Amino acid sequence: MLQGDSMNEQHIVNKINNIFIWTTRLAFLNLLWLVFMIFGLVVFGVFPATVASLSVCMYWINGKTDLPIWKTFKREFLHNFYISNGAGWLLLLAGSILFINYQHFDKISGVFYFFSIFSFYFVIIIYIALWIWVFPLMSHYNNKLTKHFFNSLILGFGKIKTTLLIILLLFLVIYISLSIPGMIPFFSFSIGSYFWAWFSLKVFNEIDEENP
């Protein structure tokens, strides 16, 4: 009986210790994302910091939990600095163009209006798919930017359920973070990155198994 109680107590201690370790990891990852984003003057730091966060999470998911977080984050940040900024700024530019076009819809009438609306929302779907997949792809594969964009489109439509699930989870993280602002400096992005990386990596592993 005493031995059983001792084993249960040890199990509880291990659980608490594991929770503490993961809480610390996620908080540190969130801090690194904020620091490196600021280091890149925000506009040049947010995209490589995002890719670096996803890379670290993918290492963790693959069982490499003992890697040095700071060195790994810094390496991935610098390695993907130019390509991630290229992707991010191209997407922002495309988003600006889409917004400008949307502002002019009230000037269109007749059949062409319905065609324009349909085309616009189809492009929006493509646009969202690019945002969802291009950064995880950079975290897992070494390819040219055009290849990442092309693969993002393939995954966006070929893995539509996963795409929608990632969008939903990121939306929930953002919603909860805005409801509880105290989470933002400690966990908001790291938790979002972990789920984002987990579902992305699941798809990547399936693809890698089908195409060894």
Side-chain angles (χ1 to χ4, degrees):
M1 191 72 177
L2 292 175
Q3 185 177 3
D5 291 341
S6 178
M7 291 177 64
N8 288 332
E9 290 175 2
Q10 185 62 42
H11 179 72
I12 294 172
V13 170
N14 290 338
K15 284 285 186 182
I16 294 173
N17 184 58
N18 198 39
I19 291 171
F20 175 76
I21 290 173
W22 276 103
T23 301
T24 305
R25 283 175 182 159
L26 291 170
F28 187 45
L29 181 62
N30 205 83
L31 176 63
L32 288 178
W33 183 79
L34 291 170
V35 169
F36 275 78
M37 182 181 64
I38 295 171
F39 174 75
L41 303 177
V42 179
V43 292
F44 296 113
V46 62
F47 302 122
T50 298
V51 175
S53 296
L54 289 168
S55 297
V56 171
C57 289
M58 287 184 183
Y59 282 123
W60 288 344
I61 295 165
N62 280 327
K64 300 177 182 179
T65 53
D66 294 329
L67 53 80
I69 301 175
W70 164 266
K71 290 183 179 179
T72 305
F73 192 101
K74 181 181 177 182
R75 183 187 69 233
E76 297 297 332
F77 179 91
L78 296 174
H79 177 71
N80 294 289
F81 184 84
Y82 293 106
I83 191 171
S84 60
N85 270 308
W89 281 100
L90 282 173
L91 288 172
L92 287 177
L93 177 61
S96 300
I97 295 172
L98 287 171
F99 179 76
I100 293 172
N101 287 334
Y102 179 76
Q103 297 298 307
H104 290 83
F105 274 163
D106 58 346
K107 300 177 182 178
I108 305 173
S109 60
V111 177
F112 189 65
Y113 173 79
F114 293 101
F115 175 76
S116 298
I117 288 291
F118 176 81
S119 300
F120 177 79
Y121 283 109
F122 180 72
V123 173
I124 288 293
I125 293 172
I126 293 175
Y127 183 69
I128 293 173
L130 291 174
W131 274 112
I132 292 299
W133 288 105
V134 71
F135 297 115
L137 282 166
M138 288 180 186
S139 303
H140 191 66
Y141 299 105
N142 287 317
N143 281 316
K144 293 181 178 180
L145 182 54
T146 52
K147 184 71 172 178
H148 285 313
F149 277 141
F150 178 77
N151 289 336
S152 296
L153 291 176
I154 298 298
L155 292 174
F157 289 95
K159 300 292 182 180
I160 188 67
K161 290 183 180 180
T162 303
T163 302
L164 293 174
L165 190 55
I166 292 173
I167 292 172
L168 177 61
L169 286 170
L170 292 179
F171 175 81
L172 285 174
V173 171
I174 293 171
Y175 178 79
I176 294 171
S177 298
L178 293 176
S179 302
I180 312 174
M183 281 184 58
I184 296 175
F186 302 102
F187 299 109
S188 292
F189 191 79
S190 59
I191 291 175
S193 293
Y194 191 90
F195 286 117
W196 193 0
W198 193 90
F199 284 103
S200 299
L201 191 60
K202 184 178 179 182
V203 170
F204 298 157
N205 288 337
E206 292 175 0
I207 294 173
D208 292 340
E209 289 176 4
E210 294 173 0
N211 302 280

